[in-house]
Amino acid sequence: MSTMKALVYHGPEKISLDDVPMPKIIEPDDAIVKVTLSTICGTDIHIWHGGMPEVQPPRILGHEFCGEVVEVGPAVRNVKVGDRVAVSCVTQCGECFYCRRGSNYAHCTTGSWIFGYMIDGCQAEYVRVPHANLGCHKIPEGLTEDDVLLVGDILSTGYFGAENAEIEPGDTVAVMGSGPVGMCAMMAARLWGPARIIAVDMNQQRLDFAVKQGYADMALNSAEVNVPEAIRDLTDGRGADRTIEAVGVKGTFDLALEAVRPCGNVSIIGVFEQPQEIPMNKMWIKNIKISMGLVNANRIPELINLIQAGKINAKPLYTHRKPLNDLLEGYDVFGNKKDNVIKWLITPYER
């Protein structure tokens, strides 16, 4: 087979399921992975609508996936042909200044690539994985692709957001945004033993879902209540100890800043299309810590261990599942939040 099916971005509002060349080994530490399960992420929707103009068409989209290794370069030692793997959404060399100092891929000298963004992604039948020794993680016996699918991006993102928030036992944590990333942040926040996790969103169905699944202890609908005031009422007038922004828009950004107590922490993991303003004339005296960044994909082994131990279960997020053939429908449903969708899973192309 010289060609395969793939979802290709051709410019703002232009995506199509195309026949494209099969990926090939280019570097010695490359692997070729047959995609067995993938999904649509909010970043894919940003790209589709032209919100990330740095993405150059034509680009195969997608960055969250599992698969089977079908070919490896001569320098690949951590996985072999036939292995089932969960794959990091980003690549990193592991050897440069930034990788060795824990900055992960964001400034990696030779491997700072994000699938479906800087290099071709996984919404395809096959994908080339650069730096496969660090990017491919074997799926342990007893776990399925469903169990670990999200470790490559949004579970790692949620964990990163909770870790940066520096949650302490007994804290009140408010997560601004109850989409898939926000709910992953809630799952991760639970690991640090907060007394209360508050889900915040304008979508009541998602708020109800987050509470029903036990991801959040309570919910606040920002279309119906003044969220910062409501949180202060719940915390003896102080505000949330930690807030996590998980959307990437002005509304949730402002709420995260306004709802945190003095000397609290704000952790930002949303992907922003527009610049935001911090009212320093009001905020400087609060003595808050603000952290931000893109996912730290080095926590994938720990997340797989937590899934094995039953400490994290993201599978309730999976509301829709269809083959690659129907992915244009998936972009419409997921991108426009139709049919109570939370996560749209993509199974292999059916010929």
Side-chain angles (χ1 to χ4, degrees):
M1 187 168 68
S2 59
T3 63
M4 65 173 183
K5 292 291 185 181
L7 194 284
V8 182
Y9 169 73
H10 293 285
E13 310 298 339
K14 297 177 182 177
I15 54 173
S16 56
L17 195 63
D18 298 347
D19 291 302
V20 302
M22 284 278 291
K24 298 179 179 180
I25 297 288
I26 297 174
E27 299 294 338
D29 62 348
D30 285 351
I32 304 299
V33 172
K34 180 181 180 181
V35 180
T36 54
L37 190 65
S38 63
T39 183
I40 308 172
C41 189
T43 305
D44 300 322
I45 304 303
H46 285 297
I47 296 170
W48 172 34
H49 292 315
M52 306 181 81
E54 63 272 24
V55 178
Q56 295 297 307
R59 172 68 68 221
I60 299 173
L61 298 184
H63 55 268
E64 198 163 35
F65 66 110
C66 296
E68 177 187 343
V69 178
V70 295
E71 186 180 358
V72 295
V76 175
R77 59 187 179 278
N78 291 342
V79 293
K80 63 183 185 304
V81 172
D83 282 345
R84 297 182 309 139
V85 293
V87 184
S88 168
C89 64
V90 296
T91 64
Q92 54 179 313
C93 71
E95 298 176 351
C96 71
F97 175 92
Y98 295 106
C99 285
R100 286 186 285 110
R101 282 158 178 79
S103 296
N104 198 10
Y105 61 89
H107 300 283
C108 174
T109 305
T110 65
S112 179
W113 302 303
I114 305 173
F115 289 106
Y117 178 75
M118 300 174 185
I119 58 173
D120 283 335
C122 65
Q123 288 168 7
E125 295 183 87
Y126 295 85
V127 62
R128 179 178 75 94
V129 180
H131 297 311
N133 288 312
L134 290 170
C136 290
H137 300 264
K138 293 180 185 178
I139 301 174
E141 290 297 323
L143 292 185
T144 66
E145 283 90 347
D146 277 32
D147 291 319
V148 301
L149 172 64
L150 303 185
V151 301
D153 181 19
I154 65 170
L155 263 176
S156 287
T157 298
Y159 191 94
F160 176 68
E163 195 170 33
N164 278 355
E166 299 179 355
I167 299 164
E168 296 182 359
D171 276 352
T172 292
V173 179
V175 179
M176 308 306 177
S178 296
V181 173
M183 284 192 257
C184 284
M186 297 172 204
M187 291 181 225
R190 186 74 72 190
L191 300 169
W192 275 268
R196 183 192 290 123
I197 297 174
I198 303 171
V200 178
D201 205 288
M202 299 176 69
N203 184 320
Q204 190 62 45
Q205 182 269 333
R206 288 190 170 183
L207 291 174
D208 294 341
F209 181 90
V211 173
K212 180 181 179 181
Q213 295 300 328
Y215 300 150
D217 300 297
M218 62 175 296
L220 294 173
N221 190 319
S222 56
E224 298 177 359
V225 301
N226 183 308
V227 169
E229 286 186 7
I231 292 175
R232 283 190 286 271
D233 288 343
L234 292 164
T235 55
D236 296 323
R238 293 189 300 272
D241 300 290
R242 325 290 169 189
T243 62
I244 300 174
E245 194 287 329
V247 183
V249 296
K250 176 177 171 54
T252 47
F253 179 82
D254 290 345
L255 285 178
L257 293 175
E258 293 168 11
V260 72
R261 66 163 169 82
C263 304
N265 292 349
V266 177
S267 176
I268 299 171
I269 52 176
V271 177
F272 288 83
E273 293 184 13
Q274 302 295 329
Q276 302 299 312
E277 181 178 289
I278 300 175
M280 293 301 298
N281 58 321
K282 298 178 181 179
M283 298 299 299
W284 71 273
I285 202 169
K286 286 187 75 171
N287 285 36
I288 62 172
K289 179 187 288 185
I290 302 174
S291 61
M292 66 192 75
L294 216 51
V295 56
N296 179 353
N298 287 329
R299 294 302 194 192
I300 292 176
E302 289 85 352
L303 287 168
I304 291 175
N305 288 341
L306 288 163
I307 291 166
Q308 275 189 301
K311 304 292 185 182
I312 292 178
N313 178 17
K315 290 191 291 184
L317 300 181
Y318 306 157
T319 54
H320 295 66
R321 180 190 303 259
K322 287 194 175 184
L324 183 64
N325 313 54
D326 300 321
L327 190 49
L328 292 177
E329 176 192 354
Y331 267 75
D332 175 49
V333 172
F334 181 77
N336 294 298
K337 298 180 182 177
K338 298 179 179 179
D339 195 28
N340 291 332
V341 66
I342 296 178
K343 215 46 177 156
W344 179 288
L345 267 56
I346 308 162
T347 56
Y349 188 80
E350 295 180 358
R351 295 184 176 278

